[in-house]
Amino acid sequence: MRERLKAGEFVLGMTVTSNNVETAAHAATLGFHFLWCEMEHSSLSLESLRTMVLATRGLPAPVFARVPWPEVWLAKRVLDQGVQGVIFPFVSDAERAQKAVHGCHYPPFGRRGSGAGLAVATWPAPGSYYDSADANVLVVCVIEEAEAVDRIEEIAAMPGIDVIFIGVSDLSFSLGLRGRQDEPLLEEAITKIVAAAQRNGKWLGRPAGSAEDVRRFHQQGFQFFQSLTELGLMKLGAKALLEPLGIKDKPQAQTTFY
């Protein structure tokens, strides 16, 4: 992951929302660069996360976890299951950014506890787990509030953050736009975030629901992408199979962003 990002290439993660180890293990073989295990917006549990880490050992896609809030103890819990990256939502000021960094690194730089017996058993690199984890765990901070846009310079300048990820849907809501993605106010905010991240040497991320999105956003400087959920991919597969047979899905009043 880091080598691809350093080379200017993109990484694409499938979003895992169901407590199904078969889904995660299969997804890790399909070509995605990582699995985005969604623990903020789904019922995914700590136990199922550990099972997914065990089931994907030796497979190409590492497991990342999005925790519900930027807290040191939440980062500690998922890292001790063996994940290789942590995604923190609502990082809207320097204090939250600092908590994200502290939770992912050992002292003296951070505040992570040394009881990582489970993580050691599944970590892919030989040698000292503690040194390797400090060097390789990816810290992703999600910018999704208007307050974060106002404080983006202090957030982006925080040592230890690797990726500034723009949660474009929640950011739109925070700006009073109710999720709309074609508003000048949202584009202005995104431009400000992009500039601050690039000035501070941080990689940029955002959701991308299609190959066209990935190509377009990559040309704009984004490299770290959250892609569809397993349910979204199931819907695409069903549509490809059924529509040529004249079978269409029932219309839905609401859909999620990704």
Side-chain angles (χ1 to χ4, degrees):
M1 290 277 289
R2 284 187 177 274
E3 291 307 311
R4 286 186 63 88
L5 291 168
K6 288 176 183 177
E9 300 176 29
F10 69 83
V11 294
L12 182 67
M14 192 196 89
T15 307
V16 179
T17 62
S18 59
N19 286 284
N20 188 300
V21 67
E22 298 283 354
T23 298
H26 188 56
T29 69
L30 297 178
F32 292 102
H33 301 107
F34 67 102
L35 302 184
W36 174 307
C37 290
E38 182 54 66
M39 302 181 76
E40 181 190 8
H41 293 299
S42 82
S43 62
L44 206 65
S45 67
L46 195 67
E47 291 82 1
S48 58
L49 178 70
R50 174 60 181 172
T51 303
M52 290 175 185
V53 170
L54 287 167
T56 56
R57 280 187 298 180
L59 298 180
V63 175
F64 285 24
R66 170 152 67 172
V67 294
W69 194 254
E71 287 286 356
V72 171
W73 72 271
L74 287 171
K76 288 181 178 183
R77 295 213 75 189
V78 297
L79 284 167
D80 284 349
Q81 308 316 307
V83 303
Q84 297 179 40
V86 185
I87 303 154
F88 297 90
F90 294 100
V91 178
S92 298
D93 56 33
E95 181 181 1
R96 294 182 192 173
Q98 184 81 78
K99 286 182 179 180
V101 172
H102 279 172
C104 292
H105 291 91
Y106 290 103
F109 189 63
R111 296 173 57 198
R112 185 179 173 190
S114 63
L118 296 179
V120 171
T122 54
W123 192 251
S128 168
Y129 167 78
Y130 304 100
D131 293 342
S132 181
D134 269 344
N136 292 296
V137 165
L138 210 70
V139 180
V140 182
C141 289
V142 183
I143 305 301
E144 51 190 331
E145 290 184 296
E147 178 187 359
V149 179
D150 294 336
R151 299 181 173 182
I152 189 59
E153 287 294 340
E154 64 187 61
I155 297 169
M158 183 66 63
I161 293 175
D162 297 299
V163 178
I164 296 292
F165 185 95
I166 306 176
V168 292
S169 184
D170 275 317
L171 182 56
S172 173
F173 272 91
S174 183
L175 293 169
L177 304 176
R178 304 294 294 177
R180 296 190 300 275
Q181 296 296 302
D182 57 352
E183 297 282 349
L185 182 60
L186 178 61
E187 285 302 316
E188 181 182 337
I190 291 173
T191 299
K192 184 175 180 179
I193 297 166
V194 168
Q198 291 176 336
R199 274 194 298 272
N200 288 278
K202 304 297 193 284
W203 293 309
L204 281 159
R206 64 177 295 164
S210 67
E212 292 75 17
D213 283 348
V214 172
R215 293 190 187 101
R216 176 161 54 94
F217 297 144
H218 189 216
Q219 290 179 347
Q220 296 171 4
F222 291 88
Q223 295 178 251
F224 184 95
F225 296 109
Q226 176 194 21
S227 189
L228 299 174
T229 68
E230 70 277 74
L231 301 180
L233 290 171
M234 183 187 296
K235 183 177 180 179
L236 286 179
K239 183 177 181 180
L241 172 66
L242 297 176
E243 282 199 350
L245 301 174
I247 303 171
K248 295 185 179 181
D249 63 343
K250 295 179 180 179
Q252 294 181 332
Q254 296 183 2
T255 61
T256 56
F257 181 70
Y258 55 82

